[in-house]
Amino acid sequence: MYSCHWPMKRILTALILILAVFALIFFGQLWMITLAAAIVAELATYEYLKLAAVGAESHGAQLRIPIWWMALGTALAFVVTLPNFPVEAQLPVLSAITLALFAWNGFRAPLIQVLPDTAQGLFGLIWIAYPLTLIPLLWKKEDGPALVVFLMVCVWAGDIAALYIGRAFGKHKLAPRLSPGKTWEGSIASIIGSILAAALVVWIGDLLTIRGNLLLHITEPLWQTLILAGILNIAAQLGDLLESAVKRGAGVKDSGTMLPGHGGILDRIDALLLATPVLWFVLLLKDTFSLGRF
Amino acid sequence: MYSCHWPMKRILTALILILAVFALIFFGQLWMITLAAAIVAELATYEYLKLAAVGAESHGAQLRIPIWWMALGTALAFVVTLPNFPVEAQLPVLSAITLALFAWNGFRAPLIQVLPDTAQGLFGLIWIAYPLTLIPLLWKKEDGPALVVFLMVCVWAGDIAALYIGRAFGKHKLAPRLSPGKTWEGSIASIIGSILAAALVVWIGDLLTIRGNLLLHITEPLWQTLILAGILNIAAQLGDLLESAVKRGAGVKDSGTMLPGHGGILDRIDALLLATPVLWFVLLLKDTFSLGRF
């Protein structure tokens, strides 16, 4: 019974989320995108904290990262990436907040937990909060909305292709230790799916541009866009696998129960958590070596 | 027998180190300071890796942070803080190297270790490598050599005052759980020691300046320098306590055996690892709010 109902629930949740994301990208303002990304980051770091706590318990220990610290750290991650925040203070703020958690743990946590707890608090910021701060930064670039749509479509199309092609034709296990359901067939379908979806985005963007609508305008040469789609897809799949590794390390199946039919927030954004910094890095490299811009 | 010999060994080692540091600060060039800081950082992160491994073992686990990753990460920390490295790429590089370790651990480590090991690898960079990159950055500021001397003298003078006054008059335990030998009397003597030593540095600097030698020139008002000395001393003492917490968490006494009579490199620089970023942060705040400069 349940297994018959969940796909509907899942598809409905996905549709609502996708529409909300597109509405934000095309009709939102910078502060709305930033706020939405910050809320997602707060929810995801909260789930992360629970995951890390379950992981610590299976070591026979109790995690001592205060929720207020994680909330403050995540909020600060957004503050330090605001356009008017001095860039040279980003690392000092990261260092200061980490040292604050270190001091808190030093006086509160069992000694054996001081190092791992402090380290895991910091890692939550770099793994989850930082990539999400890049979404508003991407959006406010030239052709920013098109860039964010491109990123989302690559990740989603790859995910869908992997699911359906993998289920139909999947035979050879990709990484059974991390995620037993994934196959090489699904993974390769995922890459092809992302590249095709990226081509579709470019094609629609070109059609709109001819009609004078620059909403989906992408100036990058087509071949670069398609290679980028492949790279982002591989990053997204890796992000998915690594989140699975963390969940399995903690011994849980879903990161949370916030989204009906989808598990937790972290399960939904795991692919994005790797694809976004990889995209940001590629753009930085292209800028640095003047390889043209997106 | 041994207890009669170690103070001599300790004092001799300290003297050689202090002379080497002063020689570097006053007669060295930027690349020498950077190279020296980088070597200390590599040795200290290596000790850190061993400490974290012992800590993991006492959890019944095996740490999987490769030495090459730690060496590469530490070297990269210095590269991203070089003057001609684009500041906006610092966080992306930190993110990229962390994700690389995450992926490595995902496929190599036992699942339960993926999260703590990746996190502890990242933490080593922020706790140890990052503060040491700030030493050459401080040195090349205006009045930079005086600034670095001031930092070192504050930390050392506080350490010495705490040791001798604490041993003679110490009664009330400061933080018995973290470091049983430390007393409030020693801690307060340490703050006073740092402030007096800072005053001495300023006095010598003023004498030299009158004679036309700007080697120890400090433009900051005296009261600000003395408050800063107190702040740096507290940060240094906290750094000492937190390193003790990590060592006790791992169940070891010294972080290593590299320095005769002094234990490991990490034991020697633990105070500096907190005092340096705190100094950097204070200077950033003073710059931002135009409170005068050091």
Side-chain angles (χ1 to χ4, degrees), chain A residues 4-165:
Chain A
C4 294
H5 280 102
W6 75 258
M8 205 51 226
K9 219 185 198 178
R10 186 183 169 96
I11 290 168
L12 213 73
T13 311
L15 268 180
I16 292 171
L17 285 179
I18 288 172
L19 286 178
V21 169
F22 274 128
L24 256 179
I25 294 173
F26 288 124
F27 308 112
Q29 287 177 327
L30 182 57
W31 70 266
M32 296 180 197
I33 315 272
T34 309
L35 188 65
I39 290 171
V40 171
E42 291 288 356
L43 296 174
T45 48
Y46 173 70
E47 281 187 2
Y48 165 77
L49 208 54
K50 284 195 299 176
L51 263 184
V54 176
E57 266 168 44
S58 55
H59 272 119
Q62 211 194 332
L63 189 81
R64 296 287 181 102
I65 307 171
I67 290 179
W68 63 260
W69 185 89
M70 208 73 205
L72 180 72
T74 307
L76 267 179
F78 280 83
V79 170
V80 301
T81 50
L82 285 180
N84 47 358
F85 195 89
V87 180
E88 65 273 19
Q90 287 181 342
L91 271 184
V93 169
L94 186 70
S95 153
I97 184 132
T98 305
L99 294 179
L101 179 63
F102 195 11
W104 168 277
N105 278 331
F107 290 97
R108 299 256 175 163
L111 289 179
I112 203 169
Q113 284 301 110
V114 173
L115 175 58
D117 285 7
T118 309
Q120 289 179 54
L122 169 63
F123 180 62
L125 299 188
I126 293 293
W127 180 29
I128 299 169
Y130 171 70
L132 287 166
T133 66
L134 296 178
I135 304 274
L137 288 178
L138 282 169
W139 187 85
K140 77 182 180 64
K141 273 179 166 285
E142 220 186 311
D143 297 339
L147 196 56
V148 177
V149 166
F150 169 75
L151 171 67
M152 301 287 180
V153 166
C154 280
V155 172
W156 291 333
D159 204 27
I160 294 167
L163 188 66
Y164 290 99
I165 308 288

Side-chain angles (χ1 to χ4, degrees), chain B residues 26-44:
Chain B
F26 288 124
F27 309 111
Q29 287 177 328
L30 182 58
W31 71 266
M32 295 180 197
I33 315 274
T34 308
L35 187 65
I39 291 171
V40 171
E42 291 288 356
L43 296 174

